[in-house]
Amino acid sequence: NAGVTQTPKFQVLKTGQSMTLQCAQDMNHNSMYWYRQDPGMGLRLIYYSASEGTTDKGEVPNGYNVSRLNKREFSLRLESAAPSQTSVYFCASTPWGQSRSMNTEAFFGQGTRLTVV
Amino acid sequence: GENVEQHPSTLSVQEGDSAVIKCTYSDSASNYFPWYKQELGKGPQLIIDIRSNVGEKKDQRIAVTLNKTAKHFSLHITETQPEDSAVYFCAASIIAELSFGAGTTVTVRA
């Protein structure tokens, strides 16, 4: 019963390098999310996917791309990492669909601590 | 998109006292308001939530109130204990989009 699994847990990149953060959930949830957490800024939404095959921009999408590979997996890609992307990244999932009555608990992964030097 | 503001950013209380955190939201279409607790090195975890058709909800020492007219909601923790020390986030959702406040760091002094 893993819930939401993120890989890797830690990563150091050089400026300009690319990488993909992986996220998988085993709860058959419809919606998945990527957030970044910075001191004093809370959790800011980067992208989300309300259902398989759809993605939408959140508050801070610049410099990122996402792929909803299937219902279980939602990846976040940094094409050319910048020091401003140093952060802790969280993936989350919820069972929410298009019906508002379905809103319930969102489950979070343990986070990926990314440092760009 | 939704804009959620949270106050205060830090809160220090004496063990046994109450703690109150307040949030406001911008979009009147938001209908679900969860609160999350984050401990050091971990992802946030839900502690209580409230829907737009309810004004107040309690769960042991934790309560949440919602004022839809004023577009604000609050978290109340009574009889605080050392294990309540953590970062707390409020959030608001419209359908599948979930937006968070900036967080409140709560420290309970023994």
Side-chain angles (χ1 to χ4, degrees):
Chain A
N1 199 12
V4 179
T5 302
Q6 290 182 236
T7 55
K9 287 186 171 54
F10 300 93
Q11 183 71 48
V12 178
L13 288 179
K14 293 183 179 179
T15 297
Q17 286 185 320
S18 62
M19 80 160 294
T20 299
L21 280 62
Q22 306 286 353
C23 176
Q25 52 90 9
D26 61 3
M27 296 171 283
N28 200 36
H29 284 172
N30 291 323
S31 300
M32 297 185 73
Y33 307 78
W34 277 106
Y35 293 90
R36 60 177 289 172
Q37 183 174 26
D38 303 292
M41 304 291 286
L43 291 155
R44 292 184 292 169
L45 183 62
I46 304 171
Y47 272 94
Y48 68 103
S49 170
S51 61
E52 187 178 354
T54 69
T55 60
D56 287 283
K57 294 180 180 179
E59 180 185 356
V60 289
N62 291 344
Y64 305 95
N65 286 301
V66 290
S67 295
R68 183 73 181 268
L69 304 169
N70 47 57
K71 193 170 186 180
R72 289 186 65 248
E73 299 172 289
F74 188 39
S75 62
L76 179 72
R77 183 161 177 84
L78 287 71
E79 290 291 352
S80 179
S84 60
Q85 293 177 306
T86 294
S87 187
V88 180
Y89 291 86
F90 285 99
C91 177
S93 72
T94 77
W96 309 347
Q98 293 303 307
S99 169
R100 293 183 176 189
S101 66
M102 290 178 64
N103 289 12
T104 56
E105 179 176 1
F107 292 84
F108 283 80
Q110 290 288 84
T112 296
R113 185 172 295 275
L114 176 67
T115 302
V116 183
V117 298
Chain B
E2 175 65 276
N3 181 42
V4 180
E5 295 192 355
Q6 182 172 346
H7 301 280
S9 57
T10 61
L11 182 60
S12 179
V13 296
Q14 191 70 37
E15 183 177 355
D17 287 350
S18 295
V20 180
I21 303 170
K22 298 182 178 182
C23 290
T24 60
Y25 61 99
S26 61
D27 195 324
S28 57
S30 291
N31 67 332
Y32 176 66
F33 306 92
W35 286 87
Y36 286 80
K37 177 182 181 181
Q38 185 180 28
E39 297 176 343
L40 201 60
K42 297 184 178 180
Q45 286 195 298
L46 181 76
I47 55 172
I48 194 167
D49 56 14
I50 191 167
R51 301 182 190 282
S52 57
N53 60 347
V54 176
E56 183 176 359
K57 183 177 179 180
K58 289 183 179 180
D59 182 4
Q60 299 183 337
R61 295 186 297 108
I62 294 173
V64 59
T65 59
L66 171 65
N67 183 326
K68 283 204 68 179
T69 303
K71 289 191 282 189
H72 67 70
F73 56 115
S74 301
L75 177 72
H76 303 253
I77 306 174
T78 59
E79 300 173 15
T80 53
Q81 301 170 5
E83 55 264 36
D84 294 329
S85 294
V87 180
Y88 292 80
F89 293 98
C90 62
S93 79
I94 304 171
I95 308 180
E97 185 173 353
L98 180 61
S99 301
F100 285 82
T104 298
T105 301
V106 174
T107 303
V108 180
R109 307 187 306 273

